[in-house]
Amino acid sequence: MGHRGWAAPPLASPANCAMLEGGQGPLDAFLAVKEGELPMADDRGVTHYDLMPIPPIEAQTRFFKANPIVIGVEYRLLDEEIAASSETATARGSDMGPGAGMDDRGVSLHVYAVEGGEKLEHLRFDCFDEDPHYHYVSWKDRTNQMVHIDVAAVGDPVDWALDCIGTRLPQMLDRAGAEETVKKLDLIALQTILPRVTEAAYQARFNSDEQAVRISALGEMD
């Protein structure tokens, strides 16, 4: 099946991951200008949820490792029954999640950092059919911040999310409060797994069994 022309993004290519003149690579350059020169994160349009994200369903998620990160690919259903059955930790925000009538589905891309032997999710791209959005997740600060995706501006949410992972991962992880993980990122290892992540994302989009996903979701949450 086609991938809508998606290709491995340039930042993650071996050539661009090579050291630049003066011994500085793209990740080093980002870290060097981070303090005082990059604009502060814009909080406009951000929803600050009062709950942390619903955990992914392990049985419906494929994981790809590029130390110190792991990317999970999951096909998700989200409705009132599944949300009510989920166990979620409280967060420091004041905004409640979607209320009555929510019924959405689509591919979710989870970006975890392995910290102290524990796998913690810091970014989530919910490429849903009706309300695509993404999350910045900080377990240290207990925050879950959601931003809607404007499909008129960015196009296919799955393509856009994959491109973000390939080209903006240091910046987005930093925005989510995972500064120590950013310092350890291996962009060449990331480039190596991206084709498999892409394949898994489109397999999930077009080949998932929604009834099996629902049974698995409600079964794991009982």
Side-chain angles (χ1 to χ4, degrees), residues 2 5 22-23 38 40 47 66 71 96 134 146 158 167 182 186 189 203:
L38 291 181
M40 295 294 291
T47 298
I71 298 175
M96 297 180 64
Y134 58 100
M146 185 274 288
V158 174
T167 65
V182 173
D186 184 338
Q203 286 177 352

Side-chain angles (χ1 to χ4, degrees), residues 18 56 97-98 123 155 161 181 218:
L123 297 172
T181 298
L218 294 174

Side-chain angles (χ1 to χ4, degrees), residues 11-75:
L11 177 60
S13 69
N16 285 337
C17 289
M19 299 302 285
L20 303 178
E21 184 177 356
Q24 190 176 64
L27 183 56
D28 300 307
F30 165 71
L31 294 172
V33 301
K34 177 180 178 300
E35 292 296 331
E37 294 190 27
L38 291 181
M40 295 294 291
D42 192 339
D43 203 43
R44 292 174 295 181
V46 177
T47 298
H48 299 264
Y49 280 138
D50 60 357
L51 293 173
M52 300 300 277
I54 295 173
I57 305 304
E58 295 281 328
Q60 298 292 337
T61 306
R62 295 176 62 185
F63 296 99
F64 303 87
K65 183 181 294 186
N67 282 331
I69 65 165
V70 175
I71 298 175
V73 180
E74 177 190 22
Y75 187 85

Side-chain angles (χ1 to χ4, degrees), residues 48-141:
H48 299 264
Y49 280 138
D50 60 357
L51 293 173
M52 300 300 277
I54 295 173
I57 305 304
E58 295 281 328
Q60 298 292 337
T61 306
R62 295 176 62 185
F63 296 99
F64 303 87
K65 183 181 294 186
N67 282 331
I69 65 165
V70 175
I71 298 175
V73 180
E74 177 190 22
Y75 187 85
R76 294 185 63 209
L77 302 178
L78 183 60
D79 59 25
E80 292 180 70
E81 183 181 17
I82 291 174
S85 300
S86 66
E87 295 183 5
T88 52
T90 58
R92 291 174 53 197
S94 58
D95 297 319
M96 297 180 64
M102 64 176 171
D103 184 10
D104 218 338
R105 67 210 66 234
V107 176
S108 284
L109 301 175
H110 309 269
V111 180
Y112 305 86
V114 179
E115 302 171 1
E118 187 177 8
K119 189 173 65 180
L120 297 176
E121 185 176 17
H122 288 293
L123 297 172
R124 176 180 297 191
F125 299 86
D126 284 326
C127 305
F128 289 164
D129 293 344
E130 300 297 328
D131 181 21
H133 56 271
Y134 58 100
H135 298 253
Y136 291 107
V137 183
S138 172
W139 291 95
K140 176 180 64 177
D141 297 330

